[in-house]
Amino acid sequence: MTTLSTSASDSGSAAGDTLTRDALAVLQPGFDGTTAPDWVRRRLGEGLASVALFGRNVVTEEQVTALTAELRAERDDLLVAIDEESGDVTRLDVRTGSSFPGNHALGAVDDPALTRGVARELGRRLAACGVNFDWAPSADVNANPDNPVIGVRSFGADTALVARHTAAWVEGLQSTGVAACTKHFPGHGDTNVDSHHAVPRIDVDAETLYARELPPFRAAIAAGTRAVMSAHILVPALDPERPGTLSRRILTELLRGELGYQGLIVTDGMEMRAISRTYGLEHGVVLAIAAGADAICVGGGLCDEATVLKLRDALVAAVRSGELPEERLADAAARVRALARWTAETRKDAETVVPEPEIGLVAARRALTVTRHGSAAPLTEPVHVAQFNPAPNIAVGDETPWGVAAELLRLLPGSTAGSFSGPDAGREALAAAAGRRVVAVVRDEHRHTWMGSALDALLAARPDTVVVEMGVPQAPPRGALRIATHGAARVCGIAAAEAVVAG
C-alpha cells in the first residue's frame, strides 16, 4: 500500500482517532479526473470507505477499471459508487448514450424477467469495471406526468407495476455482487419541482402515500436491496417540518421502524439546493446523520478535498458539542463498512454471470409503441431529422447524446439533421428540411408548450411527418407515424430508427 503524508490542514486528525475515522467513513465524495487523486488515496488510508464516480471520471471501461484498481490499492474493501440507472441517466455510457433502456421502457414491456436480465447485464459490466455500488433503481411512481425530474426514470404510473419491476431490478443487479440503492424514499414521483433547485412538496394524505408511494420500497426491501436513498422532499403528512433526508420520522421511524429496513441509508446529493440553500451543506450533513442516514452523497458539484474535510470536521464537532450522538455516527459508519464487506465477499460472483451484450437492444425494440395514421410508407429516401431539444434535466446532464439522427443518417445516406428549440422551431425545421420528409424527435412534448407548437407548424405543412417521442408519451399520438420509445437511451434511438425505416 502506498503511504502518503498527511496535509498540514489536517492537524488534529490522528490516524487512530475513531471519531475522525467514523466521520470520514460516512462520506461518499466524488473527485475530479480519470485517475485517483493523491488526496483521495490519502484519505482512504485514514478512514474514508467510499468514493463516487460521475460522468467526468469516465472515458472508457478500461480506464474505469484502471481507476478502481488504483483506489483499491489503498483500500481493498472500498465502496465505489456510481449513479448508473441505465436509460437517460447513465455514467458508464455518458459519452455515447446507454446500452440499456431505462425504467420507463422496461415498464412499458412489463416483463419482470427482462428487467431482471437487463439489470444483471448492467451489474456484470459495473462489476467488471470495479464498481460495486449503484445508486439505482428509481422506485418512484410517476404519479405526476408533469414531474420535471423523474419522468422516464420511473417504471410507470401504476404502483403495482413499479413494485414488481423494482424488485426484479434489485434482484438482477445484486446477483452480480453489485449493491443496489433503491431511491428516492419516500417517493419523488408526485412532485412538480426538481430538488436540484428547491424543496419539492407532496401534499397528499398519509393513506395515499402508504398505498401509492411505499409499496415499491417494500418490494425492494423484500428483494434484499442493500441500500435505500433518501429524497430531499417535504411530505407534510409524514413530517411537516423537515424534508425526507433530514427527517427522523421518515428515515428512522418509518423506513427502519415500520418497514423494517436494516440496510444502508444514503442521502441524495447534499449539494442540491433543496438542502444546501435551505440548511447549509455542513449543517445539513449533521442533520441527515442525526435523522438516520448512514452515508452522505456529495461530489456531484463540490468534489475537492477541502469540502470533504469541512464535512468531516462538522460531524466531529457535532459529536463533541452533543448535537449528534456519538453512537449514531458509529452506527452509520459500521453500516457503511458492512456493505463494503458484503460487496468484497460477493465480488467473485460477477465472474459467473453469462454476458448478454444484446439484451439492451432487444429490450429497447420490445418497448416501442407504434401508432400509424393512414398509410405510413417505409422510408427509403433521405429525410431531415429535426430534434427539438428541451432544457436538460440536471440528473441526466447535457453531455450525453440522444435522438435518432446518427442511426437514421447511417440507414438513409444523404439525410440531414438539425437541432431546434423555442417558438420558431417548427418553421426553422421546415426550412432546414428543404423539401425532404421530416422525422421530428421530441422529448416530453406534453411538458413543453413550444414543442407542441413546433409540431403544430410542422404537421400543418407536412402531415407525412414522422414523430418520435423519446420521453413520457403523454401527449396524444400524431403524425403519419408516431413512435414512442419510452426513453432516450442510445439503444432506444437505434430501435426507433429501425422502426422509422420499416414504416
Side-chain angles (χ1 to χ4, degrees):
M1 179 178 292
T2 305
T3 301
L4 298 170
S5 62
T6 302
S7 67
S9 65
D10 194 27
S11 60
S13 291
D17 184 340
T18 300
L19 179 57
T20 301
R21 294 184 71 83
D22 285 349
L24 276 173
V26 303
L27 303 179
Q28 292 190 344
F31 55 87
D32 269 330
T34 55
T35 58
D38 285 351
W39 74 263
V40 172
R41 296 164 60 201
R42 179 169 60 249
R43 301 304 167 188
L44 289 174
E46 297 171 2
L48 188 67
S50 313
V51 295
L53 303 184
F54 295 88
R56 61 176 178 263
N57 305 119
V58 177
V59 178
T60 65
E61 291 188 25
E62 293 75 17
Q63 168 264 321
V64 174
T65 304
L67 169 59
T68 59
E70 279 186 274
L71 294 165
R72 288 207 170 87
E74 305 300 326
R75 182 178 184 132
D76 185 58
D77 62 338
L78 176 68
L79 283 176
V80 179
I82 198 167
D83 191 8
E84 179 58 64
E85 298 179 13
S86 73
D88 288 30
V89 179
T90 181
R91 306 297 178 244
L92 202 58
D93 293 328
V94 66
R95 287 169 173 76
T96 61
S98 182
S99 302
F100 306 97
N103 285 1
H104 207 265
L106 295 172
V109 178
D110 195 12
D111 179 352
L114 178 66
T115 295
R116 193 174 295 108
V118 167
R120 182 171 56 245
E121 176 62 14
L122 173 62
R124 185 193 67 80
R125 283 183 61 194
L126 290 173
C129 292
V131 177
N132 56 4
F133 186 25
D134 190 5
W135 292 329
S138 168
D140 306 300
V141 178
N142 200 45
N144 184 349
D146 291 328
N147 193 314
V149 68
I150 301 300
V152 295
R153 300 168 66 194
S154 167
F155 288 110
D158 179 79
T159 295
L161 179 145
V162 174
R164 62 178 169 266
H165 286 277
T166 296
W169 210 98
V170 167
E171 292 165 354
L173 185 79
Q174 292 190 166
S175 71
T176 68
V178 177
C181 181
T182 305
K183 62 188 184 186
H184 306 81
F185 188 82
H188 209 312
D190 191 17
T191 61
N192 58 13
V193 172
D194 185 342
S195 51
H196 289 88
H197 300 297
V199 181
R201 181 184 176 105
I202 298 183
D203 283 310
V204 298
D205 56 59
E207 183 179 359
T208 299
L209 288 165
Y210 274 74
R212 187 181 68 189
E213 316 295 345
L214 297 188
F217 292 97
R218 292 184 186 274
I221 292 167
T225 187
R226 291 285 164 172
V228 170
M229 178 177 281
S230 65
H232 306 329
I233 57 175
L234 188 67
V235 188
L238 299 177
D239 187 333
E241 296 181 357
R242 288 187 174 173
T245 294
L246 310 183
S247 170
R248 178 175 175 80
R249 162 69 186 120
I250 290 173
L251 298 188
T252 299
E253 296 177 15
L254 175 57
L255 180 54
R256 291 229 186 270
E258 293 183 42
L259 301 191
Y261 174 67
Q262 295 304 312
L264 188 78
I265 300 175
V266 61
T267 71
D268 205 344
M270 294 298 284
E271 304 104 311
M272 293 163 67
R273 292 178 181 177
I275 299 296
S276 61
R277 178 172 287 184
T278 308
Y279 297 90
L281 181 60
E282 293 161 62
H283 187 50
V285 165
V286 171
L287 291 175
I289 297 294
D294 305 307
I296 300 296
C297 170
V298 66
L302 299 172
C303 52
D304 56 282
E305 183 177 21
T307 298
V308 171
L309 295 182
K310 286 179 182 179
L311 298 183
R312 179 206 64 187
D313 292 347
L315 289 165
V316 170
V319 170
R320 289 177 174 160
S321 71
E323 181 182 4
L324 176 64
E326 185 171 1
E327 58 271 21
R328 171 76 276 271
L329 180 61
D331 174 64
R335 291 179 188 275
V336 172
R337 296 179 189 122
L339 181 59
R341 286 195 299 273
W342 179 85
T343 60
E345 291 165 359
T346 57
R347 196 181 306 165
K348 62 182 183 298
D349 293 347
E351 300 173 1
T352 68
V353 178
V354 178
E356 294 185 83
E358 295 301 313
I359 192 171
L361 183 55
V362 169
R365 287 168 175 156
R366 289 182 63 186
L368 295 182
T369 302
V370 179
T371 307
R372 294 176 175 83
H373 292 104
S375 58
L379 294 178
T380 56
E381 300 297 323
V383 298
H384 181 71
V385 183
Q387 182 166 301
F388 295 154
N389 284 316
N393 177 318
I394 292 179
V396 175
D398 58 4
E399 57 189 333
T400 303
W402 68 284
V404 302
E407 188 67 8
L408 277 179
L409 267 59
R410 184 186 70 81
L411 293 174
L412 297 172
S415 294
T416 57
S419 294
F420 309 91
S421 61
D424 295 324
R427 289 186 292 274
E428 291 171 355
L430 275 172
R436 291 188 178 92
R437 192 171 175 185
V438 178
V439 176
V441 187
V442 298
R443 200 170 183 174
D444 289 337
E445 178 201 341
H446 68 284
R447 291 201 305 109
H448 304 283
T449 302
W450 70 265
M451 201 178 288
S453 298
L455 282 182
D456 290 341
L458 192 53
L459 289 166
R462 292 297 305 250
D464 60 349
T465 292
V466 174
V467 177
V468 179
E469 169 61 84
M470 303 195 78
V472 177
Q474 189 74 19
R478 50 185 177 155
L481 181 71
R482 203 282 290 267
I483 298 168
T485 61
H486 305 274
R490 177 175 57 85
V491 287
C492 295
I494 293 172
E498 293 172 346
V500 167
V501 173

